Amino acid sequence: MTFAIVIIMLLGYALICMEHITRVNKATVAVFCGVVGWVLFICVGPDYILKLHSENFKQFLDGAPFSIAAVNTYIAEHLFARHIFHLCSIVMYLLATMAIVELLQNNGCFDFITDWCRSRSRWRVVCSLAFFSFILSANLDNLTSSVLMLLILNQLIINPVQRRLLGVIVVIATSCGGCFTVIGDVTSLVIWTKEVVTPTDYSFALFLPAVVATVVPTALIGRKLPERLDIKRPGIMFRGDSSILPIWQRLIMLIVGIGGLWFVPTFYRLTHLPPFLGALCVLGVLWVVNEIVNRRSILTDQPITIGASRSLQYAILQMIMFFVGVGLCVDVLIEVGAMQAVASWCDEHIHNIYIMSIFLGMVSAVMDNIALVLSAVSIYHEIPDTSVMTEYMTSFIQNGQYWHLIALSSCVGGCLLPIGSTAGYTLMKREDVTIWWYFRHITMKVLVGWILALGVYFVVDSFLR
């Protein structure tokens, strides 16, 4: 049965890679494969339980007779519940983040980005888009940031070719910006909640490599743009529109929303409660502020309705369902022992974390990096830091090189092709970007940035940490 489960998961991963060809939503494929995998696991549960969890199962029985019902109860309450709790914790965090972004966007808290980027100067627009994308994705998840910045880009640029190149810059900057903080990307959030890294050390190790991986391809892509860009004229604002908040109120909301998320790692360190509770706390405070600053509109007989961004909501919900599906797939592979077998093979035949991370980044170009990082994190567990261990083993201690490199390589490698990340696939659908066009114009520039970023990480890890 292990062979059948592994084959189903590999077929599912193949369909995920070919979403642009089959037009079958990868979230649907991931959820279906995850459910089928767990159903098959339940069907032969006694074999796996007696082989891999015999001692814990005996304690669970506590002298009661062995039965299939007892096995199924043990799987549901002790194995499946443990995995689904971790998945749901991250889902709740993403939902809280999405609500925070929607509140900020509906109140015009990101309008200053549009105003600052509105220029015909090539390098001002390029640098502004890259900077704001990088900063936003470090505080929010990078998919939310990329969709938000692509919406802003669509309001700025008329020319579709120029918008396509600038959209690629947004995708690269959000992917790299999201990888250097523990709250900036789903993959780094998973690594952090596994408690294999600490927020400060993680950000210190990956900040400079992430900057290099952003700046190098951004500079190379920017040279392909004309000196003067074709921008849209700004709409004329009605002076008497009372639905627009004053700048100081929007600034307060932005500080509460974005600044509050920086408190989440501290909240987790102090309370050891799941990070989503900290995010919900920030959402609650922001909601109160929203009610206060909009009280005049709320108390009127005909309150003003602000339309939410449906594209932003849909993209986030789709990513959440994909994450849940991939998480279920990876968890069932852990329970059947497939991940342990992969770890043993890597230790014996590769035995080099840089080669492993480069391979992971290459595969990320054709498969979504969320699936790969979940798999990579599940292959290995944190090794306690002891005095007797080899240099290779030290890569898997808390804050070890392995956890940093898989985050960096998966995020940057996922930008080698547009199908390597959810943000890149969003760009494909919004701006009609083809894989062949992306490969000819973008891939080599991202590859140069990735190689230089790995070199910078080696220097930082060797001499500065």
Side-chain angles (χ1 to χ4, degrees):
M1 188 58 74
T2 300
F3 181 76
I5 292 175
V6 171
I7 290 298
I8 290 173
M9 299 307 157
L10 291 177
L11 289 175
Y13 277 20
L15 287 174
I16 290 171
C17 295
M18 295 187 295
E19 180 188 16
H20 61 289
I21 299 174
T22 62
R23 302 300 179 184
V24 178
N25 192 297
K26 62 183 179 182
T28 304
V29 175
V31 171
F32 177 78
C33 291
V35 172
V36 170
W38 276 101
V39 170
L40 294 177
F41 181 80
I42 284 285
C43 292
V44 290
D47 295 337
Y48 291 115
I49 296 303
L50 294 176
K51 181 180 179 181
L52 302 174
H53 303 278
S54 58
E55 292 298 325
N56 292 334
F57 183 61
K58 288 179 182 178
Q59 295 178 6
F60 170 77
L61 288 176
D62 195 21
F66 176 87
S67 65
I68 299 299
V71 172
N72 292 343
T73 302
Y74 176 79
I75 292 174
E77 294 181 358
H78 289 74
L79 300 184
F80 184 76
R82 184 179 73 250
H83 292 300
I84 205 67
F85 171 78
H86 186 255
L87 290 177
C88 289
S89 296
I90 296 178
V91 167
M92 288 296 295
Y93 182 88
L94 294 175
L95 289 173
T97 304
M98 181 180 71
I100 290 172
V101 173
E102 186 172 324
L103 271 176
L104 295 175
Q105 186 186 26
N106 288 345
N107 285 280
C109 296
F110 298 113
D111 290 350
F112 74 94
I113 299 179
T114 307
D115 296 337
W116 182 267
C117 295
R118 194 180 297 280
S119 171
R120 297 200 65 186
S121 172
R122 168 181 62 176
W123 289 114
R124 173 167 178 171
V125 174
V126 166
C127 295
S128 299
L129 285 174
F131 174 78
F132 286 118
S133 299
F134 189 87
I135 295 300
L136 282 180
S137 62
N139 296 275
L140 310 171
D141 67 271
N142 57 6
L143 175 62
T144 304
S145 303
S146 62
V147 174
L148 180 63
M149 292 301 297
L150 289 175
L151 290 173
I152 292 174
L153 177 62
N154 192 59
Q155 298 171 6
L156 291 173
I157 305 298
I158 300 176
N159 190 298
V161 176
Q162 297 174 9
R163 196 166 59 239
R164 194 177 300 158
L165 290 169
L166 291 170
V168 172
I169 291 174
V170 167
V171 170
I172 294 172
T174 52
S175 296
C176 296
C179 79
F180 91 91
T181 64
V182 294
I183 60 173
D185 184 53
V186 178
T187 56
S188 55
L189 187 63
V190 169
I191 294 173
W192 174 45
T193 53
K194 292 281 188 180
E195 297 187 343
V196 293
V197 297
T198 55
T200 303
D201 183 90
Y202 181 86
S203 296
F204 180 80
L206 292 184
F207 174 70
L208 288 179
V211 170
V212 171
T214 302
V215 171
V216 173
T218 295
L220 295 175
I221 295 170
R223 296 176 60 186
K224 299 176 69 68
L225 291 164
E227 289 290 340
R228 307 291 287 177
L229 301 179
D230 301 328
I231 66 170
K232 296 181 180 179
R233 293 182 177 272
I236 300 176
M237 197 70 67
F238 175 54
R239 290 178 179 270
D241 189 354
S242 60
S243 67
I244 302 174
L245 296 178
I247 294 177
W248 67 270
Q249 291 183 350
R250 284 183 281 172
L251 183 61
I252 289 176
M253 291 194 66
L254 190 65
I255 292 174
V256 172
I258 303 297
L261 290 176
W262 277 95
F263 176 72
V264 173
T266 304
F267 173 87
Y268 178 72
R269 186 176 67 251
L270 295 176
T271 65
H272 294 284
L273 293 171
F276 76 84
L277 287 175
L280 288 176
C281 178
V282 175
L283 175 61
V285 174
L286 182 63
W287 223 314
V288 172
V289 176
N290 176 68
E291 296 286 329
I292 294 173
V293 299
N294 288 287
R295 65 188 182 279
R296 180 177 300 176
S297 299
I298 294 172
L299 295 176
T300 56
D301 295 334
Q302 294 180 337
I304 297 172
T305 302
I306 302 175
S309 173
R310 300 302 176 190
S311 60
L312 180 61
Q313 292 178 350
Y314 178 76
I316 296 297
L317 292 176
Q318 181 177 327
M319 182 195 69
I320 288 174
M321 292 306 299
F322 175 68
F323 170 76
V324 171
V326 170
L328 291 174
C329 294
V330 171
D331 291 339
V332 75
L333 290 175
I334 293 173
E335 294 302 333
V336 299
M339 289 301 184
Q340 183 60 40
V342 173
S344 300
W345 187 89
C346 291
D347 290 340
E348 182 178 354
H349 294 89
I350 300 180
H351 206 71
N352 187 295
I353 57 169
Y354 278 91
I355 295 176
M356 292 164 62
S357 66
I358 290 173
F359 175 76
L360 179 70
M362 291 297 182
V363 179
S364 294
V366 295
M367 182 185 295
D368 195 285
N369 55 3
I370 294 176
L372 287 175
V373 171
L374 281 175
S375 303
V377 172
S378 301
I379 290 175
Y380 292 100
H381 299 283
E382 178 193 349
I383 298 176
D385 191 1
T386 62
S387 57
V388 183
M389 65 169 53
T390 64
E391 182 179 354
Y392 174 73
M393 292 175 62
T394 59
S395 302
F396 303 99
I397 63 174
Q398 189 179 53
N399 295 320
Q401 295 175 328
Y402 177 78
W403 316 113
H404 298 153
L405 287 173
I406 61 173
L408 177 65
S409 294
S410 64
C411 288
V412 182
C415 298
L416 290 173
L417 291 176
I419 59 176
S421 65
T422 309
Y425 194 73
T426 302
L427 177 67
M428 287 181 65
K429 292 189 290 186
R430 290 186 64 89
E431 303 296 342
D432 295 326
V433 174
T434 63
I435 296 177
W436 176 239
W437 177 89
Y438 193 99
F439 178 78
R440 287 190 298 117
H441 294 92
I442 307 299
T443 299
M444 288 305 299
K445 298 176 178 61
V446 177
L447 183 61
V448 171
W450 181 26
I451 293 172
L452 293 176
L454 288 176
V456 171
Y457 174 80
F458 177 79
V459 172
V460 171
D461 183 71
S462 301
F463 302 104
L464 301 180
R465 289 181 65 214

